[in-house]
Amino acid sequence: MSTTPPVLAAELAQAWADIQRHHPELPDLAAPESLIGESSSACGHELSFERLLHEAVHGIAAARGVRDTSRAGRYHNRRFLAIAEELGLDHPEEPHPSSGFSLVTLNPEAKQRYRPTIERLKSALKAHTVATAADTKRSFRGPAARHGSSGGGVRVKAVCDCGRNVRVVPSVLAQAPIVCGGCGKPFRIPEAVGAGVG
């Protein structure tokens, strides 16, 4: 199995499609590679199928026009929990004081339903971890990686032709295109940003 990030991104996209088969209203995942190397303190999970299902809850909430978080996305409310339960996620009865119902876990039925998907993604994540661990021993990743930033690098502004922009680590953008949901074109780092590098 290849250990390159595009392969992991493809596995993430396939896992997302598997979730969509059970929940057709779930929107497409525009940039699976944006999840690679990121952790979410609000979610409390490293990248895993459980985390992907958590993100799917947010996707369905967005599709339904439901406000499922507050406090800048940190606090996951009971509307989040209701959708999480639909997708096969459980939570302790009492919410966490700062993150609400964010710490959801797969229930037994969801584990059974998604068993092949979970195993496939687990293998891809393991291969990716081995590949990136070997890479960090011989590569300088900058101050963000040294100080434990979840992004692993300095983010720059990437733009699309319709004028929208996102902040992204250049190496993530280099792995595969990140496509704008507004116009459908890929985000790119403007030439002026790279022109001064020499």
Side-chain angles (χ1 to χ4, degrees):
M1 169 186 283
S2 172
T3 57
T4 59
V7 171
L8 179 54
E11 289 295 341
L12 286 165
Q14 181 60 52
W16 191 265
D18 291 347
I19 298 168
Q20 284 179 311
R21 273 194 282 285
H22 296 282
H23 303 280
E25 68 183 308
L26 177 63
D28 291 339
L29 182 61
E33 63 276 2
S34 67
L35 294 171
I36 299 171
E38 299 276 339
S39 64
S40 171
S41 59
C43 300
H45 296 297
E46 293 297 323
L47 187 53
S48 64
F49 183 77
E50 200 165 70
R51 160 87 189 282
L52 198 63
L53 204 56
H54 176 120
E55 297 300 333
V57 174
H58 292 303
I60 289 177
R64 293 178 181 174
V66 172
R67 186 167 179 220
D68 63 340
T69 63
S70 59
R71 301 180 197 164
R74 289 185 307 273
Y75 191 87
H76 294 58
N77 60 34
R78 290 191 183 277
R79 290 181 291 270
F80 170 86
L81 182 57
I83 298 171
E85 289 171 348
E86 289 178 39
L87 270 68
L89 293 166
D90 287 335
H91 188 279
E93 279 188 40
E94 294 302 314
H96 185 276
S98 62
S99 62
F101 294 101
S102 68
L103 301 176
V104 289
T105 56
L106 283 167
N107 70 27
E109 295 82 18
K111 284 180 185 175
Q112 183 64 32
R113 177 185 316 130
Y114 293 112
R115 183 180 309 269
T117 305
I118 292 167
E119 292 304 318
R120 198 175 59 240
L121 184 57
K122 195 182 293 184
S123 294
L125 285 164
K126 183 177 179 183
H128 176 72
T129 300
V130 168
T132 55
D135 185 41
T136 57
K137 291 175 185 167
R138 58 182 162 76
S139 300
F140 176 72
R141 294 196 174 260
R146 283 197 315 273
H147 298 295
S149 167
S150 63
V154 177
R155 297 175 194 272
V156 297
K157 182 165 78 169
V159 298
C160 74
D161 292 339
C162 72
R164 296 178 75 208
N165 65 69
V166 295
R167 304 292 278 171
V168 64
V169 177
S171 63
V172 170
L173 192 60
Q175 292 168 6
I178 297 175
V179 180
C180 174
C183 70
K185 295 186 179 175
F187 284 96
R188 59 183 168 68
I189 298 172
E191 295 298 321
V193 172
V197 177

